[in-house]
Structure formats: C-alpha cells, structure tokens
Amino acid sequence: MSVITTERQGDIFVITSNNPPVNALGAAVRQGLDAAMDELAGDESLKAAVIRCEGRTFFAGADITEFGKAPVGPDLRQVIDKIEASDKPVVAAIHGTALGGGCEVALGCHYRIAIPSAVIGTPEVKLGLLPGAGGTQRIPRLAGVALALQMNAIGDPIPAAKAKEAGLIDRLATEGQLAEDAIAFAREIAYARPLPRASEKQAKPDPQAIEDFKAKNARRFKGFDAPAANIACVEAATRLPFEEGMAFERQEFMKLMMGVQSAAQRHIFFAERKAAKIDDVPEDTKLREIRKVGVIGAGTMGGGISMNFLSAGIPVTIVEMQQDALDRGTGVMRKNYEGSAAKGRIKPEAVEKAMGLLTPTLSLDDLADCDLIIEAVYENMEVKKELFGKLDAIAKPGAILASNTSYLNIDEIASATSRPGDVVGMHFFSPANVMKLLEVVRGAKTAKDVLATVMAIGKRIKKVPVVSGVCPGFIGNRMLSQRQQAANAMLMQGATPQQIDKVHTDFGMPMGPFQMSDLAGVDIGWHRDESRIESIRDALCAEGRWGQKKQAGFYDYDENRRPSPSPRVAEIIEEFRAKSGNDKRDTSDEEIVERTLYPMVNEGAKILAEGMAQRASDIDVVWIYGYGWPVYRGGPMFWANTEGLAKIVAGLEKHGYEVAPLLKEKAEKGERFA
Ligand code: TC6
C-alpha cells in the first residue's frame, strides 16, 4: 500500500500519510504529497484539502536516515512550495509531534488545526542543523522573532495552545475528533480568499530581541555551530524578501549538513536509540512488573536515585541505618524538589506528590514488598555481600536486586545470594536525579528478563540506559581512569592542573580531570592514612584538601566555590616532581590531548574487543550522558574516527602506550569504529 492515500469527502480532498513509526518525510511520502497536490489542482470538483497522518504522530520530520545519501526528488522545499502555492486552501491536521520538516509542511499549509495534546517545533538544532525547508523564514513571519529564535535555536517544541496564541496554529480541535474537525474547518474556509500564505507576510525586525537572546544563551551555545546559523537565518527573515531569505537558509543549511558537528549529533540521535537494544535479548521479552522500588542508603546517591522514581510516580521505600541520617537524606530530597519548584521546573504541587510516595524506614524488612531494590551504600565488597545476603532472605521471589556500585564485581556480589539471575548493576551518575546516563551492568548470570526490565524502567525514569559487562569501572569509569592517570603523570613534568583542565574545557567538556576530582572529592578511595604519602593525591588528602567540600583541593575555592590556582598545590607538585627526578619541561596543549584523550580511545577499543560494550556507539552514549563529552564531537569513539585512527595510534606509540589490537587493526585497514 502506498504511504500516501487520498479520499474525497464531498468536495474536500483528504490526504493521509501512513509511514510508521513517526511519519518521517521520506522520498515516498514527498512523492505522494506532490502527486496529491497535482490531483487537487486538476480536479474542479475539489474545493479544499486536509493533510493528516495515521499512527502516533503528524510528520515528525525529514527522514534522518536519508541525510548524507544521494537526494531523491522532489525535495521537501519543492513539496512545501507547491502546497503553499495551491489556489485551493490546504489545512494541516496535527496530532502528536509536528517536528522539523513536519512543522514546515504545516506552516506551508494555509491553515493549521491541532488537538491540544499536539506539540509543534523545529528541533533540527539538536541534530546540528536548522529547519531547512522554510522553518527559519516562515516562523518569524507568523509568530515574530522572539519565538522563532526560541523554537529554532533552542529547539524545544511548544504545545498546541501556545502555538495558537502565537499565531502558528489557527484552531484547536477536540481530542479524538481531529479528522472530522479538520474536514469541517476545510469546508468552512473553502471559499475564503485571499489565502493566507506565511511567505507573503512580513517579519518585523527586532535587533534587541536577537542581542538579548544571544547574551542569555551564550553559555549554552558555546562550541556549537548550529545555534548561530539558526539565529542568522531568523535575522535574515526580518531583512530579506522571502525568496532571498530561503536562499540564505539553504546556504546555511548546507554548511551545517556538510560539517562534522551535525554528523556527530545525528550519530548520537541514533546511538541513543540503538543503546536500548540488547543483541541477544528479544524485543518482546516479557518484563517484570515494577510497582514499588526500594533504595538502601539515603546519602547523596541514594536520595538522587530515589527522586528519579518518585518523579515518575513510582513509590519508593528508602532505608538508612540511623534516624538522623535518614532524616537528613529525606530532608535533602525535599529541598531539591522545593528548589526545582521555586525555579519553575516543576509544578508546586509536584513536591508533595513526589514526597508523598516516599516511605522512609530503618528496617530492611520493609523492603519485602518491593519489586526492585537498589543498593547505594559504601563501596566495599564485604559490606555489599553481607547486604545482598540479607536481601536474599527478605526480598520476595522475582524481585530484582540491583547494586549502584561504580566499579565492584557484580558477579561476586550476586554470589552472596541464592538468585544470581535476579542480580544486576544499576550505576547512576552523580547527581543521580540529573545525569541521564544509567550503566546497566550485566552479570554472567543476570536473567534476560531482568535486563530487559531494568532497561525499560531506566527509560521510564527518563534515563539513557547502556549495557556494560562486568569489568573494573565498567565502561565509563574504566576509561576515565586512563585519563586521570595520564593527567596525574603530566603534573610530574611540570604541567599545571589549570593547564590540563583548560585543554579539556576548551575541547568542550564541562570540566577537566582536576576540576572533576575536586567536585567528586579528592578523598574518594583514599586509604585515610595521613602518614602514608605516596602520591600528590595522598599529600593533598593528608592536608585536608579533599576538594570543593573543604574549599581546597587541586584548586583553592572561595565561599562561592569559585576556584583559583593554589600556590600550596604548586609546591606539593613541585616537591613530587623533584623527588621523582623528572625534568621540568613545557607541555603543549596538543600533547595534553594526545596523552589524556587518546588513551581513552585505546581503552574504549579494549572494552569493545572484550565485549564489555555491545558497540562503539554505546561507549559514545556513555560519555555524552555520563560525563558531558560535547555532543558536537559525537563521543570518544566517533571523535576518534574524525581525528583519524592512524593518527591516534601514532600518538599513543609516541607516548609509550601499548596500542589495543583492535584499534591497531582498524587503523591499518583504514577502517573506522562503526
Ligand atoms: C528535519 O526535519 C530537517 C528538515 C530540513 C529538510 C531540508 N527520521 O524516538 P523514538 C525513528 S530534521 C527517521 O524511539 P518516541 C527512531 O530512530 C528532523 N527516523 O520514539 C526510532 O527508530 P527505531 C527533525 C526517525 O516516541 C523510531 O523512529 N525531526 C525519525 O520516543 C521511534 O523513535 C526531529 O529531529 C526521523 N526524523 O519519540 C525529530 N524520528 O525504532 C526526531 C524518529 O528503529 N525524532 N525516527 O529505533 C524525535 O524527536 C522522536 O523520535 C519523536 C518520537 C518525538 C518523534
């Protein structure tokens, strides 16, 4: 069956797309729409048309899988031009998500009707692009510069009601009755003339709005090419006639499309979706039901983990050993919710709604009715094994027992129970209520339905779950430790923490290795023996320089946690360097990249070869969502491709690293990480 079908309802021509899953505007859809517009024009008995979609959504955009391939006509701009040029009115009937090209098709129609639950937007900027089928030119003409900037350069869709207020939508339909309402609307305006065409309107210049918008979002846009291009196009719409504006938009679109950033961002779009799939776990695996969750530990991690479930409406029982720790933990959660409400991120009533789902307790026995129990206690194997032994006795049959460990062996933890198939790792990243990554650690005996259930619940609490095998540090921290070791070693040749961190922030990371260490706590994993000073880190810890929490770590901090270089740390580093007999020399920024980032790629190749990650793109997803690797560089493995694997191998060899066989082999064969 054709993806575009047409039907006559009296003198109204109803054009319907049925291209699951999201009615992307692939070649067949464009050809079908084009032919339908010809039919509308050629048939005297037809007076108006409705364009609508079957399935879960109106067109959700251009078909991203076609990007980078040889174009097949007609292109989307031609189709939209034809719709707008029609001398019979065309109504877009919108449900679901009218995004990107879908939004642009709607704006090319003369009228738009939407159900209240629909959203409309141009998220192309999130793919490193701009709405290249007139979105940057029609939105400012219909809704003004300020909203056009917001929609195009930030990319968040807006609800139908807001779109109606702004002039992007003409009418709201009744839920469940969109097709009927749209046909009635078409009948109503069938003879109305002149036809409203967005391209014939004027966009009012608003240089102040543009300046304000740029200033407000400078930090958010740092490093990205696409926001500036979107802004330039909106500005052009206020100054150029429509056709010239479209030519400018085209030129800017092509520049972005050919660039590395958009390729990286599109890679991540698909990588994130692929990460949800586990090669040997069928998609129709029956899931275990999760109605109630238990969390052990009300510290920073346990509290943050609990909030994810509470926010998703899932009741949580949280366990601590002492009443004061329990009170402190739940108090912090409440404060976090109240803070979000004060900032308008959640509705005020959401605070009580979430907290009302929380049951604090001092007794592990209260976890007996939980379907999923997540342990977030002290990182110590003996402690965890003892706890899992107890849980084995308490938890009901079929309950999933998860550990939030960031590096310990899940198989060993599972061995403390009589049900290793029910044991899995759920490694959240701090702050656990904010960071999107969830490393799901698959033990040797973890049951497939346990894995599938944890992946699904991860998505339900709005995380991006990625499967890792059992190895120290799993995917993320295993690579991180390579970076940290290299950074530490460079201090010994005279590089400063500031210099190393700056290379990382210039690269686009939110912070460098030493800033991260100060934030997380320099004392994490420290042996706590002040007389045993074997490393710079030991020396810092012995002096109480535990990081931001002590206002001193690799940096000094003022009361507002603003860092400055520490003369004392410089002394400590210098002492160690002198003792080591290393010469002091200049370290170039390039060397810092080669010695901190290349070893991460090397470790990534080992992780891949050992089967600890399912695919290179999963590693990229881990680094984007767990550590803030800049999405416009596509993650470490994608970045390695763009840097050139041969160059990376040469760099590693130059600095004395043993190159992972997989990396070497790919470099020699001229291959890339898929
Ligand atoms: C554009 O329009 C440019 C125009 C300029 C022209 C000159 N194409 O996310 P889900 C697939 S740029 C192809 O899991 P949800 C997706 O990969 C585009 N495929 O579902 C997945 O496949 P899988 C502007 C697409 O309900 C399946 O559909 N538009 C596309 O959580 C389901 O997706 C956007 O950027 C696509 N455009 O969310 C919108 N979109 O099952 C991008 C999705 O094989 N899309 N797929 O893994 C989205 O934001 C979301 O998919 C959603 C649905 C909100 C539409």
Side-chain angles (χ1 to χ4, degrees):
M1 204 179 92
S2 167
V3 290
I4 295 288
T5 51
T6 56
E7 162 200 10
R8 284 146 207 265
Q9 294 272 343
D11 53 6
I12 307 299
F13 197 42
V14 181
I15 303 164
T16 301
S17 167
N18 190 356
N19 186 27
V22 297
N23 281 304
L25 288 149
V29 175
R30 297 193 304 272
Q31 286 157 8
L33 286 175
D34 188 70
M37 291 319 296
D38 287 342
E39 201 177 334
L40 173 70
D43 188 333
E44 293 258 313
S45 68
L46 292 171
K47 302 302 176 200
V50 169
I51 297 181
R52 61 179 290 276
C53 292
E54 282 294 340
R56 64 200 219 213
T57 178
F58 192 74
F59 308 111
D63 185 339
I64 309 171
T65 60
E66 286 182 351
F67 289 2
K69 297 184 187 151
V72 179
D75 81 22
L76 189 57
R77 293 164 13 120
Q78 292 166 331
V79 175
I80 294 173
D81 281 351
K82 198 178 236 182
I83 295 172
E84 202 189 42
S86 161
D87 54 13
K88 298 175 190 176
V90 182
V91 176
I94 302 169
H95 75 293
T97 45
L99 300 179
C103 174
E104 291 169 301
V105 168
L107 300 182
C109 293
H110 307 104
Y111 297 94
R112 290 157 290 279
I113 180 169
I115 48 174
S117 59
V119 299
I120 171 163
T122 46
E124 283 87 341
V125 69
K126 296 182 184 180
L127 299 171
L129 294 170
L130 54 81
T136 70
Q137 301 304 298
R138 286 191 176 92
I139 297 177
R141 283 179 162 80
L142 286 168
V145 165
L147 186 68
L149 290 170
Q150 192 68 27
M151 288 180 71
N152 289 336
I154 304 278
D156 291 335
I158 59 171
K162 183 167 177 198
K164 178 163 182 287
E165 231 169 79
L168 291 176
I169 281 175
D170 302 287
R171 191 173 288 194
L172 292 178
T174 306
E175 290 293 337
Q177 217 174 281
L178 178 62
E180 296 84 338
D181 286 359
I183 292 165
F185 187 23
R187 214 157 259 143
E188 223 178 286
I189 47 78
Y191 297 95
R193 296 292 184 280
L195 289 176
R197 293 189 173 94
S199 65
E200 290 171 3
K201 292 193 176 0
Q202 288 290 324
K204 221 169 103 216
D206 195 346
Q208 193 59 48
I210 293 176
E211 281 322 302
D212 293 348
F213 181 78
K214 279 187 190 163
K216 186 170 165 218
N217 294 292
R219 241 184 86 178
R220 171 185 202 132
F221 293 159
K222 191 178 154 229
F224 287 90
D225 293 339
N230 274 281
I231 296 169
C233 288
V234 170
E235 193 276 329
T238 67
R239 160 170 70 73
L240 300 176
F242 184 75
E243 284 311 321
E244 284 175 41
M246 288 296 282
F248 183 71
E249 180 191 89
R250 186 81 202 147
Q251 170 199 315
E252 293 299 300
F253 179 83
M254 290 316 292
K255 271 196 251 170
L256 293 175
M257 183 63 118
M258 296 303 177
V260 174
Q261 289 201 353
S262 175
Q265 289 177 256
R266 283 180 275 134
H267 161 72
I268 289 301
F269 177 86
F270 288 114
E272 182 185 330
R273 282 156 181 79
K274 211 181 264 167
K277 301 182 170 105
I278 310 173
D279 291 339
D280 63 334
V281 177
E283 292 205 27
D284 59 357
T285 300
K286 191 168 177 314
L287 304 182
R288 299 190 188 182
E289 227 179 305
I290 306 292
R291 278 184 238 97
K292 194 165 187 189
V293 172
V295 174
I296 306 168
T300 316
M301 218 50 204
I305 292 171
S306 302
M307 288 177 72
N308 292 310
F309 293 97
L310 299 175
S311 302
I314 304 171
V316 173
T317 301
I318 190 164
V319 190
E320 250 302 343
M321 292 200 317
Q322 306 289 340
Q323 188 66 44
D324 58 340
L326 187 61
D327 293 344
R328 213 179 314 123
T330 54
V332 169
M333 289 162 70
R334 171 173 288 281
K335 239 178 85 190
N336 284 342
Y337 275 124
E338 285 170 352
S340 298
K343 286 186 194 127
R345 291 200 192 120
I346 56 171
K347 295 202 179 102
E349 58 270 26
V351 179
E352 293 314 320
K353 198 174 152 217
M355 291 305 288
L357 291 170
L358 183 68
T359 310
T361 173
L362 295 175
S363 169
L364 281 179
D365 292 335
D366 290 342
L367 299 175
D369 63 346
C370 291
D371 305 294
L372 164 66
I373 301 174
I374 306 169
E375 157 283 306
V377 303
Y378 185 56
E379 285 280 54
N380 175 294
M381 183 55 92
E382 290 321 307
V383 172
K384 302 229 180 210
K385 280 170 83 168
E386 194 193 322
L387 179 60
F388 272 75
K390 285 186 190 158
L391 288 179
D392 193 21
I394 294 169
K396 66 182 184 187
I400 296 175
L401 308 181
S403 170
N404 174 54
T405 182
S406 57
Y407 62 91
L408 295 175
N409 187 321
I410 292 292
D411 293 330
E412 195 179 336
I413 295 176
S415 74
T417 73
S418 63
R419 38 174 137 176
D422 294 343
V423 178
V424 68
M426 286 177 81
H427 179 209
F428 289 84
F429 285 67
S430 192
N433 53 320
V434 178
M435 296 302 285
K436 289 193 73 176
L437 178 64
L438 176 65
E439 265 182 340
V440 174
V441 187
R442 178 180 195 168
K445 294 189 178 150
T446 305
K448 288 186 180 178
D449 66 334
V450 166
L451 212 49
T453 302
V454 169
M455 296 299 279
I457 196 88
K459 197 167 175 202
R460 201 166 138 207
I461 59 171
K462 302 204 167 75
K463 299 290 172 198
V464 181
V466 179
V467 179
S468 169
V470 176
C471 59
F474 313 125
I475 297 173
N477 283 345
R478 178 168 162 183
M479 289 165 71
L480 181 72
S481 102
Q482 289 295 316
R483 185 181 86 166
Q484 194 67 47
Q485 280 173 33
N488 292 346
M490 270 185 290
L491 295 179
M492 304 293 274
Q493 67 189 39
T496 63
Q498 305 73 277
Q499 186 191 3
I500 295 171
D501 283 344
K502 184 166 185 302
V503 169
H504 285 256
T505 50
D506 285 351
F507 183 82
M509 303 288 296
M511 57 191 120
F514 300 103
Q515 290 161 325
M516 190 184 224
S517 184
D518 275 2
L519 180 69
V522 183
D523 60 314
I524 286 187
W526 175 47
H527 49 57
R528 291 185 192 264
D529 175 354
E530 285 173 18
S531 62
R532 214 174 102 201
I533 296 183
E534 289 153 2
S535 66
I536 294 173
R537 207 266 299 254
D538 289 348
L540 260 57
C541 287
E543 290 188 14
R545 302 191 68 96
W546 294 6
Q548 284 197 20
K549 58 190 168 192
K550 297 267 186 177
Q551 286 191 23
F554 282 95
Y555 295 83
D556 290 334
Y557 294 87
D558 67 13
E559 51 289 349
N560 296 317
R561 295 203 172 189
R562 265 187 310 247
S564 57
S566 163
R568 177 63 194 134
V569 171
E571 269 171 32
I572 294 174
I573 293 172
E574 183 51 27
E575 270 168 41
F576 269 87
R577 188 198 59 74
K579 250 193 292 180
S580 73
N582 281 350
D583 285 336
K584 197 166 179 171
R585 63 175 174 84
D586 283 340
T587 305
S588 68
D589 289 357
E590 193 190 341
E591 181 182 341
I592 293 172
V593 168
E594 288 175 356
R595 287 182 57 188
T596 54
L597 301 185
Y598 288 10
M600 285 177 55
V601 173
N602 201 35
E603 198 64 27
K606 290 182 195 166
I607 287 171
L608 209 53
E610 292 166 20
M612 293 295 139
Q614 296 190 88
R615 28 185 113 78
S617 63
D618 281 12
I619 298 177
D620 290 335
V621 172
V622 163
W623 271 82
I624 300 276
Y625 289 112
Y627 302 84
W629 181 283
V631 62
Y632 55 80
R633 293 192 197 269
M637 307 314 274
F638 181 91
W639 172 75
N641 289 336
T642 63
E643 184 83 348
L645 300 190
K647 184 176 166 202
I648 290 186
V649 168
L652 286 166
E653 283 172 344
K654 181 168 86 188
H655 297 296
Y657 279 90
E658 195 182 311
V659 179
L662 178 67
L663 175 57
K664 200 163 192 162
E665 183 192 319
K666 283 197 174 293
E668 276 163 8
K669 288 190 186 156
E671 290 174 2
R672 301 156 62 90
F673 289 109

